[in-house]
Amino acid sequence: MRLAAVLPTIDEESSLPRVLPRAREIADIVVIADGGSTDRTVEAARDGGARVVESASGRGRQLNAGARAALASGADVLLFVHADTLLPERARRSVEVAIADGAVGGGFEVRFDDPRRIFALGARIVNLRTRLLRAPLGDQAQFATGDAFRAVEGFREWPILEDLDLMRRLRQRGPIAVLRPPAMTAARRFVERGITRTIVTNWSIWALYLLGVDPARLARLYPHIR
C-alpha cells in the first residue's frame, strides 16, 4: 500500500514543525496543498521534505489539488490531515488493517490538545457521534482508498462541510472505519470563540445541512478560525 498524506494549509508556519515529521514517518508521500499563505508555510513545508502544490483557497479545493498530486505520484490511499492535527504513531498500521478488512474510507477517533476536563468530555461526545454515524470529520484525519475517492469524484469544493459530505458519499461505496488510537487535534477554535458557542454553532450547522440548507449560506455562521 502506497500511502499519501495530504495537508491543506493557510498560514500554518507554526504548526508544521509539530505535525509534518509525524506525517513523513507514516506516509510514503506528503503533499502540502497551500491556499495562499503569507507567512513561511511553504518554505517550512519544503524544508520538512514535503511536496508543495499551490491552490485557490478553500479546504475542498486544496484537498482536491493535493489528492490529484498524490494520486499522480502513485498513491493507493489518501490520508487527509489538518495542519493542526497530530496523527497517532500507529496510524499507518491502523489504516492498513481497516482497508484489508474492506473499508473504503474512514478516520480516527479524536482527542484535544487541551488538558481541561471539558475537552475530554467533548472528545468522548465526538467519538460517540462518530461511531454512531460512521462519519469522522476533517480534524479526525479522514482517509479513503484512491479508487473510492475517484469514484465519488473527490471533495465538493464547498466553503464548509466538505468533510461530512465526503463521508456520506463514501458510505455508499462501502464500509467506513473509525480507528484508534485517536488523532490529537487543536482546541484553538473552541478556545478562541468560546466552547459552548462553538459546540452550538457546529451542531446547528450540521442539522441545517441535513435539512437541505445550502453550505454556502451555512458558511456565514462559521468563523474564519483555521
Side-chain angles (χ1 to χ4, degrees), residues 27-175:
D28 302 295
I29 305 164
V30 178
V31 179
I32 300 295
D34 191 71
S37 293
T38 58
D39 64 0
R40 294 191 71 260
T41 294
V42 170
E43 290 85 348
R46 288 180 174 140
D47 290 347
R51 176 180 175 183
V52 176
V53 296
E54 298 189 29
S55 163
S57 63
R59 189 166 280 155
R61 291 189 185 92
Q62 291 172 236
L63 289 169
N64 282 337
R68 285 192 295 269
L71 292 170
S73 297
D76 304 301
V77 177
L78 302 168
L79 178 59
F80 300 103
V81 187
H82 287 187
D84 59 359
T85 297
L86 182 65
L87 293 166
E89 292 181 359
R90 300 195 299 277
R92 185 189 184 101
R93 180 59 180 161
S94 297
V95 172
E96 288 175 338
V97 170
I99 291 174
D101 287 343
V104 300
F108 290 78
E109 290 192 350
V110 70
R111 65 187 178 97
F112 293 102
D113 63 359
D114 190 304
R116 284 177 284 180
R117 290 182 181 178
I118 186 65
F119 287 104
L121 174 61
R124 286 196 291 271
I125 293 170
V126 169
N127 293 333
L128 176 61
R129 180 205 72 207
T130 301
R131 290 197 168 274
L132 289 174
L133 301 180
R134 312 309 290 179
L137 299 181
D139 55 6
Q140 295 174 254
Q142 294 176 320
F143 70 91
T145 66
D147 288 342
F149 188 79
R150 289 187 186 97
V152 300
E153 299 182 346
F155 287 93
R156 310 280 193 203
E157 296 190 351
W158 292 347
I160 195 172
L161 295 170
E162 79 293 330
D163 50 357
L164 176 57
D165 173 75
L166 178 70
M167 282 295 119
R168 293 183 73 191
R169 289 182 290 121
L170 284 174
R171 280 204 309 255
Q172 299 172 11
R173 309 294 306 183

